[in-house]
């Protein structure tokens, strides 16, 4: 009953999205990785770019990691792009270019969790695995009056057991798309119009006046602050040049380029900032800069961190005689072609 009703609603009201018009598992996988933590409209743009630039899994595998990171620029969570590239290489080179076709094999791919595996398995191969994302949690928690805090292992198990009973085994693709769209378009986080809802008579939250109380959210993750001091080091002769470095592994933005950076545990008071900057420059270079000035500052939010970034503008007349080997001098044009974080992009766009 439930499956028929939600699928009928979807057939009349569901969203038309480009990745729903294909059963190519490679395209579906691309769309699902892009859509993790991404708004649909932004995802549409990147999906179109990736499917045109890398029309087959072999094309994506043959690209360099730097090219893939550049294509990904602006989407954030860059580990997704690195996993995407590594997985494309695994499929192209180890699996003969054949996309895995069982839930278990799909789940074993790097960067693929249970939600993504269920989405690919059901959309590409019509396998009956229910998807559970934030929209599904909200809709089902309200409909069945479930008070278990969502996004926890216990909640996943509970919702999965329930959805395994509800899913349409013949049309799992439509069922999954329907419950996601219903949660996103009708059973919204706030301001949903329950009087127009086709499930209002059976909805537990509506009957018990608990719509605004469900779903129960888990405890929010702790957000830590980090203090980044970026040095925008440039010289005009013989040609405009700026120094960059590549972020190492084991931290955020691995493999992306950025300006030379010093991170501190606490903020540096503004009155001593220029002196501190000059001390650092003396450790990096033997030459004295022409000028050192505090520039723009940004507060940049990531999921578990807030970055307080202060940029410092450092001018030399010409190339310093000795440059640390971990910095690379590049022209501003070359810098535009390198993969960079959204924070660096924000800064450079304001120059
Ligand atoms: S009645 Fe309201 S709370 Fe219940 S499923 Fe419909 S929109 Fe969601």
């Amino acid at each position: 009953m439930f499956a028929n009703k939600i699928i009928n609603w979807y057939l009349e009201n569901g969203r038309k999205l480009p990745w729903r018009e294909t059963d190519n598992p490679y395209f579906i996988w691309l769309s699902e990785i892009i859509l993790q933590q991404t708004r649909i409209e932004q995802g549409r743009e990147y999906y179109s770019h990736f499917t045109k630039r890398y029309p087959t899994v072999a094309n994506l595998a043959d690209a360099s990691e730097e090219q893939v990171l550049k294509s990904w620029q602006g989407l954030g969570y860059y580990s997704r792009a690195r996993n995407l590239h590594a997985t494309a290489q695994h499929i192209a080179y180890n699996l003969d270019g054949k996309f895995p076709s069982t839930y278990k094999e799909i789940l074993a791919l790097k960067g693929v969790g249970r939600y993504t595996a269920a989405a690919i398995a059901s959309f590409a191969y019509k396998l009956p695995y229910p998807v559970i994302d934030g929209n599904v949690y909200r809709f089902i928690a309200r409909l069945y009056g479930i008070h278990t805090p969502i996004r926890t292992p216990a909640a996943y198990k509970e919702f999965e057991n329930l959805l395994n009973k509800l899913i349409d085994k013949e049309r799992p693709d439509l069922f999954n798309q329907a419950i996601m769209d219903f949660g996103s378009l009708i059973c919204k986080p706030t301001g949903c119009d329950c009087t127009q809802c086709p499930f209002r008579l059976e909805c537990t939250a509506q009957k018990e006046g608990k719509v605004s109380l469900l779903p129960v959210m888990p405890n929010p993750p702790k957000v830590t602050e980090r203090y980044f001091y970026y040095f925008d080091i440039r010289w005009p002769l013989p040609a405009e040049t700026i120094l960059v470095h590549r972020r190492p592994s084991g931290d955020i933005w691995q493999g992306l380029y950025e300006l030379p950076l010093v991170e501190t545990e606490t903020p540096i008071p503004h009155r001593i900032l220029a002196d501190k900057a000059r001390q650092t420059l003396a450790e990096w270079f033997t030459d004295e800069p022409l000028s050192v000035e505090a520039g723009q500052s940004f507060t940049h939010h990531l999921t578990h961190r807030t970055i307080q970034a202060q940029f410092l503008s450092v001018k030399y007349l010409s190339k310093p005689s000795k440059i640390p080997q971990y910095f690379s001098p590049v022209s501003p044009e070359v810098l535009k072609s390198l993969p960079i974080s959204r924070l660096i992009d924000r800064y450079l766009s304001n120059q």
Side-chain angles (χ1 to χ4, degrees):
M1 279 278 286
F2 172 76
N4 275 340
K5 194 164 169 177
I6 193 78
I7 288 175
N8 287 341
W9 172 87
Y10 173 73
L11 292 174
E12 276 181 32
N13 305 286
R15 290 177 291 199
K16 303 269 173 284
L17 298 168
W19 46 87
R20 289 182 176 172
E21 285 158 19
T22 179
D23 58 4
N24 178 338
Y26 166 64
F27 284 173
I28 291 169
W29 166 67
L30 272 182
S31 73
E32 288 302 330
I33 303 295
I34 288 170
L35 288 169
Q36 290 167 4
Q37 320 274 351
T38 302
R39 285 175 298 104
I40 295 263
E41 276 323 302
Q42 193 187 20
R44 225 187 246 273
E45 220 179 278
Y46 281 81
Y47 175 78
S48 164
H49 170 78
F50 268 83
T51 49
K52 283 192 187 110
R53 175 98 198 254
Y54 314 105
T56 66
V57 74
N59 296 136
L60 184 58
D62 290 344
S64 69
E65 186 184 274
E66 207 162 298
Q67 281 169 335
V68 176
L69 287 172
K70 187 68 192 166
S71 295
W72 195 265
Q73 190 169 305
L75 265 183
Y77 300 94
Y78 285 84
S79 57
R80 288 184 293 163
R82 284 190 297 274
N83 287 338
L84 196 73
H85 188 229
T87 300
Q89 292 189 325
H90 170 63
I91 295 170
Y93 308 145
N94 302 334
L95 306 181
D96 241 359
K98 214 173 161 305
F99 206 94
S101 59
T102 67
Y103 175 80
K104 220 171 145 191
E105 289 167 335
I106 298 168
L107 187 60
L109 297 175
K110 212 171 172 184
V112 170
R114 287 179 293 190
Y115 164 81
T116 306
I120 299 169
S122 62
F123 301 160
Y125 302 111
K126 295 197 189 300
L127 298 173
Y129 290 90
V131 291
I132 305 175
D133 70 353
N135 291 320
V136 174
Y137 267 131
R138 183 171 56 256
F139 170 38
I140 298 299
R142 287 172 177 171
L143 188 60
Y144 288 90
I146 301 173
H147 285 72
T148 311
I150 62 168
R151 299 185 194 282
T152 57
Y156 196 92
K157 195 103 220 81
E158 186 175 356
F159 282 70
E160 187 182 44
N161 286 341
L162 174 58
L163 286 162
N164 273 333
K165 290 181 198 141
L166 298 175
I167 196 167
D168 186 321
K169 304 270 188 302
E170 304 296 316
R171 299 177 294 171
D173 49 342
L174 294 182
F175 178 87
N176 279 340
Q177 284 156 359
I179 51 174
M180 286 194 293
D181 270 13
F182 196 87
S184 171
L185 301 173
I186 305 295
C187 196
K188 296 186 279 192
T190 53
C192 52
D193 185 0
C194 296
T195 57
Q196 301 298 318
C197 174
F199 295 97
R200 67 190 174 281
L201 297 179
E202 55 261 55
C203 175
T204 307
Q206 160 73 0
K207 282 190 277 193
E208 296 178 358
K210 290 182 174 168
V211 174
S212 62
L213 302 178
L214 291 173
V216 176
M217 302 306 279
N219 290 331
K222 257 211 179 117
V223 176
T224 51
E225 289 223 316
R226 294 178 70 174
Y227 304 94
F228 283 11
Y229 293 87
Y230 280 113
F231 289 70
D232 179 341
I233 303 168
R234 297 177 191 238
W235 54 90
L237 297 173
E240 180 73 16
T241 305
I242 181 168
L243 282 187
V244 296
H245 86 122
R246 197 164 189 209
R247 283 190 71 85
S249 55
D251 197 2
I252 53 168
W253 302 329
Q254 180 187 320
L256 301 191
Y257 287 84
E258 64 181 6
L259 306 182
L261 166 72
V262 169
E263 180 173 0
T264 59
E265 284 182 5
T266 51
I268 300 173
H270 206 71
R271 64 191 155 76
I272 60 165
L273 188 57
D275 285 346
K276 284 272 181 205
R278 281 184 184 276
Q279 281 171 20
T280 300
L281 289 164
E283 288 165 21
W284 289 342
F285 306 101
T286 44
D287 311 327
E288 276 278 317
L290 283 181
S291 63
V292 179
E293 283 169 20
Q296 300 177 68
S297 57
F298 295 88
T299 299
H300 193 76
H301 298 286
L302 300 173
T303 313
H304 302 302
R305 300 177 189 88
T306 297
I307 293 174
Q308 302 294 353
Q310 171 70 58
F311 287 81
L312 293 135
S313 169
V314 180
K315 301 261 188 273
Y316 284 90
L317 184 58
S318 57
K319 185 177 176 185
S321 42
K322 210 173 119 245
I323 295 175
Q325 59 179 16
Y326 36 87
F327 297 154
S328 308
V330 297
S331 68
E333 285 68 42
V334 168
L335 177 53
K336 277 188 206 145
S337 69
L338 297 175
I340 53 176
S341 68
R342 174 86 190 103
L343 170 60
I344 296 295
D345 192 34
R346 283 172 73 191
Y347 169 73
L348 292 174
S349 306
N350 275 354
Q351 290 305 290

